[in-house]
């Protein structure tokens, strides 16, 4: 299989279903940002962190491929002529969202309560989490915009939203495990 097809040389690409759209289309921006997020999560997973975190991150990466496939499917061609879904894969489920929530609850139970915003950083691995979190928020903004134009499965947008929360809690948990200082943001008073 050749990697280059030359079909995108004029600035268009194909969605699942064959519809061609400009490479700057909101749908392409949406699933492209999910792909970017998945790469950042791979970087976190490659760090010297607890295997439990690595396992959760691997599952998240798998689910992000599903999110990307959902976002890359032309809604007008999502159903085949025989009535079956074009995407023959499990969609994002309430259980996927609950797994993120349960993981956050478990980590949060071992963390000191938050009293202030924290500045991103303190350790390179923690910084990678914060970068992934902000990319996730961008992916959510783009997907939300796409959903306004062409609605898709509601659980997909919920999953992206919950994932950014998960990445924030993971950053805090890794700060604790790596003994990195969490620097509180304390706004300066006006003089």
């Amino acid at each position: 299989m050749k990697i280059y097809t030359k079909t995108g040389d004029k600035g268009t690409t194909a969605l699942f279903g064959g519809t061609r759209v400009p490479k700057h289309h909101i749908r392409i921006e949406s699933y492209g940002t999910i792909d970017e997020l998945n790469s950042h999560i791979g970087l976190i997973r490659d760090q010297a962190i607890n295997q439990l975190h690595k396992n959760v991150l691997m599952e998240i990466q798998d689910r992000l491929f599903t999110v990307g496939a959902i976002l890359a499917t032309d809604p007008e061609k999502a159903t085949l002529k025989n009535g079956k879904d074009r995407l023959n894969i499990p969609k994002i489920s309430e259980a996927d969202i609950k797994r993120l929530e349960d993981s956050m609850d478990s980590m949060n139970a071992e963390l000191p309560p938050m009293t202030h915003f924290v500045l991103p950083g303190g350790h390179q691995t923690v910084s990678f989490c914060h970068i992934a979190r902000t990319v996730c928020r961008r992916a959510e903004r783009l997907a939300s915009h796409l959903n306004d134009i062409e609605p898709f499965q509601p659980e997909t947008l919920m999953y992206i939203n919950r994932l950014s929360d998960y990445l924030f809690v993971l950053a805090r948990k890794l700060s604790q495990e790596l003994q990195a200082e969490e620097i509180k943001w304390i706004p300066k008073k006006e003089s």
Side-chain angles (χ1 to χ4, degrees):
M1 175 179 150
K2 280 191 176 186
I3 295 299
Y4 59 94
T5 61
K6 301 182 183 182
T7 57
D9 287 353
K10 293 184 180 173
T12 65
T13 193
L15 302 174
F16 286 144
T19 305
R20 293 203 71 81
V21 295
K23 290 187 177 186
H24 61 271
H25 190 279
I26 184 66
R27 186 170 291 285
I28 308 307
E29 287 286 345
S30 294
Y31 75 74
T33 306
I34 292 295
D35 187 34
E36 180 184 351
L37 171 61
N38 208 336
S39 296
H40 283 290
I41 289 174
L43 183 61
I44 299 165
R45 191 172 50 82
D46 287 343
Q47 304 305 300
I49 60 174
N50 181 306
Q51 188 61 46
L52 174 67
H53 299 316
K54 289 181 182 227
N55 294 344
V56 173
L57 292 169
M58 182 96 66
E59 181 181 318
I60 289 167
Q61 287 187 289
D62 174 81
R63 302 316 296 145
L64 285 177
F65 264 90
T66 298
V67 169
I70 290 166
L71 297 178
T73 302
D74 180 348
E76 293 182 14
K77 297 186 178 178
T79 306
L80 300 171
K81 290 179 184 175
N82 64 9
K84 292 185 179 182
D85 286 344
R86 178 171 299 282
L87 288 179
N88 189 20
I89 58 175
K91 306 298 183 285
I92 299 298
S93 68
E94 291 283 340
D96 293 320
I97 296 163
K98 177 118 175 54
R99 276 193 291 279
L100 288 177
E101 292 171 347
D102 290 346
S103 185
M104 280 187 279
D105 291 345
S106 176
M107 289 187 289
N108 242 346
E110 299 174 1
L111 291 171
M114 265 193 67
T115 57
H116 294 80
F117 287 108
V118 294
L119 298 179
H123 188 283
Q124 185 176 31
T125 302
V126 173
S127 294
F128 290 151
C129 280
H130 283 291
I131 291 168
R133 173 185 57 80
T134 60
V135 172
C136 189
R137 285 292 187 208
R138 178 164 34 97
E140 182 183 15
R141 291 189 301 272
L142 289 165
S144 174
H145 182 196
L146 174 62
N147 191 56
D148 283 349
I149 299 165
E150 296 177 332
F152 51 85
Q153 181 206 24
E155 291 82 3
T156 300
L157 197 53
M158 291 168 61
Y159 186 82
I160 300 168
N161 180 45
R162 210 67 85 252
L163 180 55
S164 60
D165 296 333
Y166 167 84
L167 290 166
F168 177 76
V169 176
L170 179 61
R172 291 199 69 221
K173 183 64 177 157
L174 289 175
S175 286
Q176 181 187 62
E177 291 175 0
L178 297 166
Q179 300 176 348
E181 181 183 5
E182 265 192 345
I183 299 173
K184 296 175 183 175
W185 178 65
I186 302 171
K188 294 183 167 113
K189 306 257 186 220
E190 274 195 67
S191 47

